[in-house]
Amino acid sequence: MTFKHQFMPTHHIGVTKTDQYYKLRAFEYDVLRKQDSSEQNVLSGQKAVEHLERRLEQRLDSMQLFDVGPNFHKLQIYSDVMEDLIEETPTFTYILRCIKTEYDEYISRLLEAQTPQHSKLLRDQVEQMSNRGTSRPKELQDAKDRVEKLEQEAQNSLDKNDRLRKEVEQELQWLAKTPDPPEPKHAPIVTSQKNESPPELEDEVEHVKALILEKLDELNNLRIKLREEHVPLTVCTHLEQCIKETEVEVQKLLKQNEYFERSIAEMEADLKEAIQEADTSERDARRIWRKVNSRRGIPHMQNMSPAGFTDSDDDDDDESKWSWYIS
């Protein structure tokens, strides 16, 4: 006996809480068998055969054989229940089946050794059992259905075989009635093939050659068009990458210029405040601004003064002193 392993669905598949509760109870009762955990004398195996005992009592009660002595019908019922017990007990299947087989063979020998009168009685009992039905009507019905299906398939195969045999016979008769065709003259046919085959083959080769040349011309035109009107994808990708990098660099330079301009403005403001706080003369102030603008290198700032006027004073004496002062 082989066991089939499968996954059991959980109670979470229930739609409502009530369905989930009932599925959980069914799982505990059928799979986990919580009711067996509280059972006493578990090793006795009483629960495992209760359904067989109930089946035996029901079948004996249905045939009214409780108080009857040795009987063939009663023996058959016990034999069927014993067979069910063997199928449901994989651990002891082999030994129980061996015991049952020996008992059945012994009973068979006893039946063969009985007198004709006793054999007739047993035959009558067997006929009564067959009229009443079997102990497994579902299995018997399935077997009958399978037999009927196989009989139908066999009948269909036989019909098909007969039809094919008749068709073969008709074909053979038709072939036998058909006159033999005249033998062809080989010489003229060979001569005509020699005269006609080479031109057809030559034309076909020329046609294929012309098609190949046309395809080559189309390929050359496509190659020239690609070279003149199109740009490789790698070049476009590289150019796009370079443009993106240039945009990033320009953004960085713009940010740096803004920062430098703010710094220069702040330094000019600081320098103005320093000149005013130092109480410097106008002439010294012009010298300071001229020195600052020359260091900056900005053309339009060369001659600017804090008051906004221009001066062309070329007095450069004591330049070292003013450089030290600016520093």
Side-chain angles (χ1 to χ4, degrees), residues 286-302:
R286 286 198 299 271
R287 288 182 178 180
I288 293 171
W289 283 111
R290 187 166 58 251
K291 187 68 175 177
V292 170
N293 293 334
S294 64
R295 292 299 180 94
R296 287 175 58 182
I298 303 176
H300 67 277
M301 296 292 292
Q302 293 287 337

Side-chain angles (χ1 to χ4, degrees), residues 260-270:
F260 289 146
E261 288 177 359
R262 288 196 301 270
S263 301
I264 290 171
E266 292 176 358
M267 292 176 66
E268 288 180 353
D270 295 339

Side-chain angles (χ1 to χ4, degrees), residues 256-285:
Q256 291 178 358
N257 289 337
E258 292 178 0
Y259 172 75
F260 289 146
E261 288 177 359
R262 288 196 301 270
S263 301
I264 290 171
E266 292 176 358
M267 292 176 66
E268 288 180 353
D270 295 339
L271 183 58
K272 289 178 182 179
E273 292 178 359
I275 291 173
Q276 291 176 0
E277 291 176 358
D279 195 12
T280 308
S281 63
E282 185 178 352
R283 183 180 175 209
D284 295 338

Side-chain angles (χ1 to χ4, degrees), residues 127-183:
E127 290 178 357
Q128 292 177 6
M129 288 183 64
S130 61
N131 293 329
R132 291 181 181 180
T134 180
S135 60
R136 299 177 182 177
K138 185 178 180 180
E139 295 180 3
L140 179 61
Q141 186 63 33
D142 294 340
K144 288 182 178 180
D145 295 339
R146 286 196 301 271
V147 171
E148 291 178 358
K149 183 178 180 181
L150 292 174
E151 289 179 353
Q152 185 65 30
E153 292 178 357
Q155 186 63 36
N156 294 334
S157 300
L158 290 174
D159 295 340
K160 184 177 180 181
N161 191 15
D162 294 337
R163 185 175 66 257
L164 293 175
R165 186 182 295 105
K166 291 179 180 179
E167 292 178 359
V168 171
E169 291 178 355
Q170 292 177 1
E171 293 292 336
L172 291 174
Q173 292 177 2
W174 177 80
L175 183 62
K177 293 178 180 179
T178 303
D180 296 336
E183 296 182 359

Side-chain angles (χ1 to χ4, degrees), residues 1 16 31-32 43 56 60 66 84 104 110 153 168 193 196 199 203 214 221 223-224 237 246 274 295-296 303-304:
M1 180 179 294
T16 61
V31 180
L32 299 181
L43 299 178
L56 178 62
L60 291 175
F66 270 112
D84 296 336
D104 291 342
L110 291 179
E153 292 178 357
V168 171
Q193 288 181 354
E196 296 178 359
D203 295 339
E214 290 179 2
N221 294 331
R223 190 178 294 108
I224 294 171
T237 305
T246 306
R295 292 299 180 94
R296 287 175 58 182
N303 299 320
M304 286 185 64

